[in-house]
Amino acid sequence: MTRFFRRPSILLAALALGLQACGGTEFASDEQLPTASEPAPLTQPLVQDAVPGDILTALQAIPGLTVVREVPQPMPGVRHFVLSYDQPADHRHPEGTRFQQRLTLRFVSQEAPMVLGSTGYGISTQAYRLEPTYLLQANQLLVEHRFFEPSRPAPANWKLLTIEQAAADHHRIVKAFKPLFAGKWISTGASKGGMTSVYHRAFYPNDVDATVAYVTPNSYGTQDPRYVSFLSRLGTPECRERIRDFQREVLARRAETAAIFTAEAAARGLSYDLLGQDKALEFTVLESAFAFWQYGDASLCDTIPAPGATAEELMGFLDGIVGLSYMSDSDLDYFAAYDFQAATQLGSYASEERHLRGVQRYPRQYDPRTLVPFDMGPYKFNPFTMPLIEGWVKAFGQRILFVYGENDPWSAGAFDVRSRNDSYRFYVPDGNHGSGISALPEADQAVALERLSAWADLPTTLAPQLGLRARAVKSGAEDVSTGVVDRRRGPPRD
């Protein structure tokens, strides 16, 4: 085994073979970019006309790229474009079905570093900055993940929604844009976006110069028990007991709480035809223990309704922690691509259910496969994918910075790294799923910023400015994001 991990070619071959198992596809081929003869017509008027030497003219010259629109400048010296890029649904067979993958470009200059961002989900076309973008004063290319509308092939062959096909999407985008942006490239993402960035690096290690991955888990199977163990140690015993009592109370008084659930669904125009309202309510309750720590912190412990609270109080708290739309048809339809991937390659977390005996109707059914709105019979889970990715990161993942929240349940699946690979893992004390570089302890933050500056090849005279910018983010003076998607709030909106 030691010899195996010392030889990258063997590990990459194993990665490719492992991904083929259980219905996966083979290692993505390095197929050719579309030819210049493929038109890229404008679908909407641009804010300003192209002129020779202008970035708009350069973008329009990229084969397969459509400049959908340029939005008004988000700030002086910055331009923001909404784009789409022609991609093959299957990179092994580029002559087949193709689709348009949505992107946004935040343009500063062609000499500045480029931050390649992924949310792992759909994207908003509104202009916003990811944390590395602001810290480095970089350009930003944000990529929508395949199979999230509108970046979905038609017809949709779900066997093509794999991490290797998505990595090949990113690879082609990098190849298309790199001739325009000669600076260093840093990929980034949070949660599933961080996972997407890591998978891209595993298949195409040299596409970018470094990666910043926030709150990025690596799960073992669709019912990974490590998350249950992690949650059993968070907070005080009293807080954990209050969470369990709350969950049991909602389900024990199902007649009362379900009536409110039904009324709120009607008021908000929500439907629960896929799961049924009864199962949707139970799954929402199961999610609450995880979401409590994923998005909240210990300060919420005293706000948990105690046994005997009104049904309105119970459901109000559940709505705030998870969201009553979380298991609705509209949300499950939008997030189907994520749940499909979790059920076939990515894995997910198990839920603690022992304290719910006697009040639970659907034990051990809360699983990603249950949440996908079509028959999952043909699609099996590939148990080799994540262990092989984990092995690559640990043995060969160079210039990767992982940032986790100490209390974020997803940290139970944190990747391990080796300093000899110039890779690092830091934790934000008491941090949750929103943790970033700017919230790290001073010593850890100094290391993270120094490495980020070096990877981006910033002049040494500019490196100290990263610390000032990090403090501005922490104080709230600058509005930036890690790119994490809060699923409780529904799909990204323009």
Side-chain angles (χ1 to χ4, degrees):
M1 183 62 72
T2 301
R3 274 189 244 121
F4 172 81
F5 282 115
R6 284 178 181 170
R7 298 187 63 182
S9 60
I10 296 179
L11 182 57
L12 287 174
L15 180 59
L17 291 171
L19 291 171
Q20 290 183 62
C22 303
T25 61
E26 64 189 53
F27 194 77
S29 64
D30 191 13
E31 53 98 0
Q32 295 296 310
L33 293 172
T35 65
S37 62
E38 297 181 12
L42 297 180
T43 60
Q44 295 188 29
L46 297 174
V47 171
Q48 60 187 77
D49 295 328
V51 296
D54 182 67
I55 185 60
L56 175 56
T57 304
L59 291 173
Q60 291 172 326
I62 295 178
L65 185 71
T66 298
V67 181
V68 178
R69 65 181 181 273
E70 180 180 0
V71 302
Q73 287 186 322
M75 60 180 57
V78 176
R79 296 172 69 178
H80 184 76
F81 298 91
V82 180
L83 313 168
S84 67
Y85 188 58
D86 181 66
Q87 294 275 28
D90 185 350
H91 288 271
R92 300 167 304 169
H93 301 288
E95 74 283 357
T97 301
R98 303 184 77 87
F99 72 101
Q100 293 294 312
Q101 188 164 26
R102 186 163 63 170
L103 323 167
T104 62
L105 172 66
R106 180 186 179 88
F107 175 73
V108 177
S109 78
Q110 290 183 254
E111 294 73 34
M114 172 61 81
V115 169
L116 177 66
S118 175
T119 67
Y121 299 91
I123 61 172
S124 169
T125 57
Q126 295 179 356
Y128 67 92
R129 296 172 294 179
L130 299 172
E131 186 178 51
T133 304
Y134 171 65
L135 293 174
L136 297 172
Q137 297 294 285
N139 301 295
Q140 177 180 292
L141 188 60
L142 187 62
V143 181
E144 186 163 71
H145 200 285
R146 62 166 42 212
F147 279 71
F148 282 88
E149 295 285 9
S151 300
R152 180 179 295 179
N157 180 354
W158 288 86
K159 288 184 178 179
L160 300 177
L161 178 52
T162 63
I163 66 169
E164 59 271 35
Q165 292 282 356
D169 290 340
H170 285 70
H171 175 62
R172 293 184 76 252
I173 290 169
V174 170
K175 286 181 63 178
F177 280 82
K178 260 195 173 179
L180 296 185
F181 298 96
K184 296 294 185 180
W185 281 60
I186 310 293
S187 63
T188 191
S191 195
K192 187 171 182 287
M195 295 155 70
T196 302
S197 298
V198 169
Y199 307 153
H200 174 210
R201 285 293 300 282
F203 284 103
Y204 303 98
N206 300 318
D207 267 5
V208 299
D209 299 285
T211 298
V212 179
Y214 300 92
V215 295
T216 299
N218 188 68
S219 301
Y220 302 153
T222 61
Q223 295 284 323
D224 190 334
R226 293 179 299 165
Y227 297 102
V228 173
S229 298
F230 188 90
L231 286 170
S232 72
R233 299 188 299 271
L234 280 182
T236 63
E238 293 76 17
C239 185
R240 294 193 294 270
E241 188 62 28
R242 293 193 69 167
I243 293 173
R244 290 191 290 268
D245 287 345
F246 164 77
Q247 290 181 301
R248 187 173 180 85
E249 186 81 356
V250 174
L251 295 182
R253 295 166 57 186
R254 198 183 297 248
E256 298 174 71
T257 55
I260 296 174
F261 194 60
T262 301
E264 284 296 319
R268 303 180 193 187
L270 300 173
S271 64
Y272 300 89
D273 295 334
L274 175 65
L275 297 176
Q277 286 194 2
D278 194 53
K279 186 180 290 185
L281 173 59
E282 184 166 308
F283 284 2
T284 304
V285 170
L286 287 175
E287 179 67 22
S288 65
F290 198 95
F292 182 93
W293 294 105
Q294 180 177 358
Y295 301 110
D297 56 42
S299 67
L300 294 176
C301 292
D302 291 337
T303 70
I304 302 172
T310 66
E312 289 77 12
E313 290 172 332
L314 293 171
M315 295 305 290
F317 185 79
L318 185 64
D319 191 20
I321 293 296
V322 182
L324 300 187
S325 68
Y326 197 89
M327 297 294 166
S328 67
D329 293 333
S330 58
D331 279 30
L332 292 181
D333 182 67
Y334 177 82
F335 289 105
Y338 165 74
D339 290 318
F340 178 89
Q341 286 193 279
T344 54
Q345 287 186 307
L346 309 185
S348 190
Y349 50 87
S351 299
E352 177 58 78
E353 300 180 7
R354 289 175 298 179
H355 61 292
L356 299 177
R357 289 173 183 164
V359 297
Q360 195 177 15
R361 295 175 181 172
Y362 313 98
R364 313 313 306 172
Q365 292 186 37
Y366 187 32
D367 183 277
R369 298 180 65 85
T370 310
L371 307 182
V372 179
F374 53 81
D375 180 20
M376 287 293 291
Y379 309 104
K380 307 303 180 184
F381 183 76
N382 185 338
F384 303 106
T385 308
M386 291 302 106
L388 287 168
I389 291 291
E390 181 182 46
W392 178 86
V393 169
K394 187 174 182 178
F396 309 114
Q398 296 184 345
R399 298 178 302 282
I400 303 177
L401 171 63
F402 288 103
V403 179
Y404 292 97
E406 182 184 30
N407 290 346
D408 178 13
W410 287 113
S411 294
F415 279 98
D416 195 9
V417 297
R418 292 292 177 265
S419 59
R420 66 170 180 267
N421 289 329
D422 195 15
S423 291
Y424 307 87
R425 184 179 69 183
F426 296 117
Y427 289 85
V428 174
D430 300 321
N432 61 16
H433 210 50
S435 297
I437 294 173
S438 302
L440 286 172
E442 186 174 342
D444 291 344
Q445 184 185 102
V447 174
L449 294 177
E450 187 277 327
R451 296 319 300 149
L452 182 60
S453 176
W455 295 337
D457 200 23
L458 293 186
T460 55
T461 55
L462 297 181
Q465 296 183 20
L466 272 67
L468 297 176
R469 293 177 190 139
R471 285 193 286 275
V473 174
K474 186 174 183 179
S475 70
E478 293 289 344
D479 185 20
V480 303
S481 170
T482 62
V484 71
V485 171
D486 186 344
R487 185 166 170 171
R488 301 173 304 167
R489 305 303 172 225
R493 293 176 173 84
D494 289 342

